[in-house]
């Protein structure tokens, strides 16, 4: 149990005691001194993913850490969290014994029941000369004492209680019919006599601390959770950064410090409503005790009392779910003056270290290939080598360009027939020329000629309608036609086959490799990568369920990476997660061939989010319906034009061009007005035959307002080895992490 929140009211620091007022005054002073950054906007759904980026941009250098020291508080603050502000009724309960009082510093009164239903009621004003407060019926001695005090007018809304008892069921105690169990004009505070084992519950949801209920000026109920700061943070962290989805302790510790700092710097934001913070995205998502998790409890405990400070003051620790690789300056999104610690940053480790944890290396030398016509030869040779073909360990342009020999073809096709489970075919002396090669390859793959069986004479003549097709021997024409149709053979750039000349080795290897891969005779596997670890591949389950699979990489493995649409052999490459992999495992279970196709989420630290990249398509009428108040009186939408971007590339000025006028949507309103996940996007257009835009596609990155700490980025940086304080300093420029109490 957190300090300042014992299990009974008798041991608690009273709400209005000098000690609490002293702490509140100190916090209020700190809050007033903090740079005034606007309250963050709503970022999206809760509980399953984080919300609210990070090292350095090319334009900005991190400011040196200010030397001013934080003024420490005498103890842990107590917060008031507004759980409800317009309730018609609420149920307060516990599995233990329910306690209640209307005086923060008074001894609590056992209700001898475990469940109370509270509703507002408007009653005539109390006559202070003749009537006592009905709450005094709970304690006759207190009632007798209070009737001697000076009369205090009490008018307006009154609280009554609906009580469920085993013998009588649910009974409403109301004036005029029966004396209410509680009939209070002051706020009523509820708690449990054994908070740790039997917490107090609001509408069956458990909370630490106390539940306070009072009638507001709207004639409804306001419900407040009175809770210590540490217990509050315990109920925030698992809802802001799910430990199930993002189980990195350093990231969760960074989230705990950010949540604690945000709470301290925004203390009293809703004081006119009777509380400090809301439990949703207007402040921070708070789920109470029922959402706590052991891993996030550990993160909170190991950072107890620590906050992020700038120049000796707690910062307004805004955060965003997924920053799309870069964050934005706060003033560009929220307006107002520049905030020194909320600057646009790259969501990544330092460049020299960013990819180091994810490196795969091989001792195999790269091929010495420079000619464009041999671009695929390195991959062809690697695939064939890993499947038992006798290929030189280092390829050169000269070797590949030289004519293939009949003995080499016999060796290659012998290995091909073994993979195809076919007997070794007959191969004549012309096996190195295109015609004889095609017939021998067909026999090695199928044991017979597919072309002769499936193609008619007109088919063959149609497929062989290239310049020197008449030079293809009659006995090979069906096989050449079939191989061309299936893509296993190809013509030269001048649309000739050159049937009388031996094939170059590169063309022979290409034909065999292409045919075996097309028939799925290579033993290749495909997977989506997790970040590589310790020189091994980590593979995501194909169905997304179950544990990841770790696959060791052979020291002399073939490594290939895609650049554009081509694969190139590499001595080392980075697998950061999200890539599509094709690999072959040797007899010992190690990967001896790996090819990597970069994933759409890129390599930023927030690439683990499903919102690292996204797209949304709207018609002009759909855009108009969303813009509504933000761009009135523009008529039919004709175009959208980006007029200004921020340091992160986010759209800061969107011009809306209509048939009757033009309007501009600026700053953080761009995202909310368009109803998009983020405002880091580009716009693609689809036109009709008249040149009118019929669809806008917003291709974007990220989720949230894009200012401050990137939550998924924090997870990525933690996976990269950063501790929580370094994560925070990567996200918030020039800050320190200090002990507040």
């Amino acid at each position: 149990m957190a300090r300042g929140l014992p299990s009974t009211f008798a041991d608690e620091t009273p709400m209005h005691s000098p000690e609490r007022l002293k702490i509140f005054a100190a916090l209020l002073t700190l809050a007033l001194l903090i740079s005034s950054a606007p309250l963050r906007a709503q970022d999206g759904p809760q509980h399953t993913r984080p919300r609210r980026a990070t090292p350095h941009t090319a334009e900005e250098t991190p400011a040196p850490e200010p030397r001013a020291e934080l003024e420490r508080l005498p103890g842990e603050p107590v917060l008031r969290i507004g759980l409800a502000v317009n309730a018609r009724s609420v149920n307060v309960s516990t599995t233990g014994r329910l306690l209640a009082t209307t005086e923060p510093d008074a001894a609590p009164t056992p209700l001898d029941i475990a469940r109370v239903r509270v509703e507002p009621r408007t009653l005539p004003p109390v006559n202070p000369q003749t009537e006592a407060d009905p709450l005094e019926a709970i304690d006759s001695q207190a009632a007798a004492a209070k009737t001697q005090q000076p009369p205090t007018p009490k008018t307006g809304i009154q609280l009554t209680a609906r009580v469920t008892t085993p013998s009588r069921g649910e009974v409403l105690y109301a004036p005029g019919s029966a004396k209410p169990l509680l009939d209070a004009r002051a706020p009523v505070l509820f708690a449990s006599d054994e908070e740790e084992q039997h917490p107090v519950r609001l509408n069956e949801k458990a909370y630490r601390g106390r539940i306070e209920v009072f009638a507001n000026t709207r004639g409804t109920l306001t419900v407040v959770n009175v809770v210590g700061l540490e217990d509050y943070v315990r109920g925030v962290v698992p809802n802001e950064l799910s430990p199930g989805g993002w189980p990195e302790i350093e990231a969760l510790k960074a989230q705990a410090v950010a949540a604690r700092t945000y709470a301290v710097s925004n203390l009293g934001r809703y004081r006119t409503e009777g509380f400090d913070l809301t439990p949703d995205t207007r402040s921070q998502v708070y789920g109470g005790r029922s959402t706590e998790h052991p891993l996030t409890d550990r993160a909170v405990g190991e950072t107890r009392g620590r906050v992020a400070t700038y120049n000796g003051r707690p910062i307004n620790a805004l955060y965003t779910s997924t920053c799309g690789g870069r964050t934005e300056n706060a003033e560009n999104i929220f307006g107002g003056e520049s905030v020194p610690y909320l600057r646009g940053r790259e969501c990544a480790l330092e460049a020299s270290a960013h990819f180091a944890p994810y490196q795969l290396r091989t001792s195999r030398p790269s091929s010495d290939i420079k000619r464009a016509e041999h671009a695929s030869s390195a991959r062809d040779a690697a695939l064939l080598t890993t499947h038992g073909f006798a290929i030189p360990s280092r390829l050169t342009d000269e070797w590949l360009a030289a004519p293939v020999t009949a003995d080499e073809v016999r060796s290659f096709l012998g290995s091909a027939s073994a993979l195809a489970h076919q007997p070794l075919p007959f191969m004549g002396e012309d096996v190195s020329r295109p015609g004889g090669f095609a017939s021998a390859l067909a026999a090695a793959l199928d044991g017979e000629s597919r072309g002769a069986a499936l193609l008619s004479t007109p088919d063959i003549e149609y497929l062989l309608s290239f310049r020197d097709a008449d030079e293809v021997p009659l006995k090979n024409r069906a096989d050449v036609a079939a191989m061309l149709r299936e893509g296993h053979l190809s013509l030269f750039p001048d649309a000739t086959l050159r049937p009388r000349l031996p094939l170059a080795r590169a063309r022979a290897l290409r034909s065999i490799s292409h045919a075996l891969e097309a028939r799925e005779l290579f033993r290749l596997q495909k997977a989506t990568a997790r970040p590589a670890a310790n020189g091994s591949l980590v593979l995501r389950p194909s169905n997304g369920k179950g544990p990841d699979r770790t696959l060791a990489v052979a020291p002399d493995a073939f490594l290939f990476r895609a650049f554009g649409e081509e694969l190139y052999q590499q001595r080392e490459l980075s697998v950061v997660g999200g890539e599509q992999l094709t690999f072959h495992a040797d007899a010992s279970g190690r990967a001896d061939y790996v090819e990597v196709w970069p994933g759409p989420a890129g390599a930023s630290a927030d690439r683990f989010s499903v919102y690292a990249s996204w797209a949304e398509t709207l018609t002009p009428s759909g855009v108009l319906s969303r813009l509504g108040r933000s761009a009135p009186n523009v008529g039919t939408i004709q175009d959208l034009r980006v007029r200004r971007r921020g340091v992160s590339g986010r759209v800061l000025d969107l011009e809306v061009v209509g048939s009757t006028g033009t309007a501009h949507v600026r700053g953080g309103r761009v995202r909310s007005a368009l109803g998009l996940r983020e405002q880091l996007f580009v716009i693609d257009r689809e036109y009709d035959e008249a040149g009118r835009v019929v669809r806008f596609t917003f291709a974007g990155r990220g989720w949230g307002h894009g200012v401050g700490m990137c939550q998924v980025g924090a997870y990525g940086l933690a996976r990269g080895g950063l501790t929580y304080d370094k994560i925070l300093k990567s996200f918030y420029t020039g800050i320190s992490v200090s002990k507040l109490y």
Side-chain angles (χ1 to χ4, degrees), residues 237-248:
V237 177
N239 297 290
E240 288 286 3
L241 190 62
S242 167
W246 318 103
E248 283 288 338

Side-chain angles (χ1 to χ4, degrees), residues 450-474:
R450 292 168 64 92
L454 299 177
L455 298 178
S456 66
T457 299
D459 294 334
I460 295 170
E461 296 307 311
Y462 176 71
L463 292 169
L464 298 184
S465 58
F466 49 87
R467 287 172 52 188
D468 55 357
D470 57 343
E471 298 179 11
V472 178
L474 181 62

Side-chain angles (χ1 to χ4, degrees), residues 381-398:
L383 286 170
L384 294 172
T385 298
T386 56
H387 287 82
F389 288 68
I391 309 292
S393 60
R394 190 178 185 92
L395 301 182
T396 65
D397 286 318
E398 291 72 22

